[in-house]
Amino acid sequence: MSITRHDENAIMSKVVEHNGVVYISGNTANDNSVGMKEQTEQVLAIIDGYLAKGGTDKSKLLTAMIFISDMSLKPEMNEAWESWITPGCHPTRACVCSGLGSPQTLVEIIVTAAK
């Protein structure tokens, strides 16, 4: 079975396709000077692009892992998530509080989708 990798760098691939499944690495906002909702919207837009690169879309999400830096900001993250997710196509999901790459980084999201 073949494995296709997209946007590789020295330590990782941003997208890996294998056996009809698309794995997308953790993504953070490009502009981390904004709040949780805005950072989440940026991340979800990035994920849309990577899903398309893998030949799929958010309606085929299987699972999501969301890391946030402060649980008190979870409602803002959920607001962006609920606006983005395809109704009736909710993946399994976990949301955990974690230290992220910088103090200004509020959210990082990993997803897996079927093709």
Side-chain angles (χ1 to χ4, degrees), residues 13-72:
S13 297
K14 294 301 284 183
V15 181
V16 174
E17 299 176 57
H18 175 66
N19 203 25
V21 178
V22 178
Y23 304 87
I24 298 176
S25 66
N27 287 280
T28 59
N30 293 323
D31 176 6
N32 62 9
S33 69
V34 297
M36 173 63 84
K37 182 179 178 191
E38 295 83 4
Q39 284 194 33
T40 304
E41 290 168 342
Q42 289 178 39
V43 173
L44 296 173
I46 292 166
I47 288 171
D48 277 333
Y50 285 131
L51 288 167
K53 189 170 274 199
T56 190
D57 62 64
K58 63 187 173 186
S59 72
K60 296 181 180 90
L61 288 178
L62 300 172
T63 189
M65 174 66 80
I66 303 171
F67 302 90
I68 60 177
S69 62
D70 181 345
M71 275 296 174
S72 72

